[in-house]
Amino acid sequence: MNELKNIKNYLRIDDDLTADDEILSELITAGKSYISRSTGKKFIESDSVMQILVKLLVSHWYTNRNAMNGRTNAAEIPHTISTMLNHIEI
């Protein structure tokens, strides 16, 4: 399964809905970069922790992509993501 299809499956987005494919692809790339920059470790495709972390990051960013969504602290990274980043960093 390719990355985009995998992310869409995780987000429960039907394959035939392609309007957000470009942004999802960009978020996947950004997630990998974010992991590397936050931890100082190279992103490893075969690392299951890094893979799930990409899914969590993409889900968070995709869900909160509207900066004016009216919710407080929507841009803050959830505790689960921060904890996983700390785990990778060690």
Side-chain angles (χ1 to χ4, degrees), residues 43-54:
F43 185 84
I44 302 168
E45 295 288 341
S46 62
D47 187 316
S48 59
V49 174
M50 288 186 179
Q51 287 294 331
I52 196 70
L53 190 48
V54 168

Side-chain angles (χ1 to χ4, degrees), residues 6-22:
N6 198 351
I7 289 292
K8 287 175 82 168
N9 185 46
Y10 184 78
L11 296 172
R12 294 185 173 98
I13 299 172
D14 292 334
D15 285 338
D16 60 338
L17 300 175
T18 59
D20 288 343
D21 283 4
E22 185 176 342

Side-chain angles (χ1 to χ4, degrees), residues 15-61:
D15 285 338
D16 60 338
L17 300 175
T18 59
D20 288 343
D21 283 4
E22 185 176 342
I23 191 164
L24 288 170
S25 294
E26 290 171 355
L27 290 173
I28 291 167
T29 300
K32 292 176 182 181
S33 178
Y34 187 85
I35 292 167
S36 293
R37 290 176 183 207
S38 295
T39 65
K41 305 279 176 101
K42 182 180 181 208
F43 185 84
I44 302 168
E45 295 288 341
S46 62
D47 187 316
S48 59
V49 174
M50 288 186 179
Q51 287 294 331
I52 196 70
L53 190 48
V54 168
K55 289 176 185 165
L56 291 169
L57 284 165
V58 170
S59 176
H60 174 70
W61 291 333

Side-chain angles (χ1 to χ4, degrees), residues 49 53 77-90:
V49 174
L53 190 48
I77 297 294
H79 177 71
T80 303
I81 293 173
S82 298
T83 302
M84 290 179 79
L85 285 166
N86 289 337
H87 172 74
I88 292 169
E89 191 175 24
I90 296 174

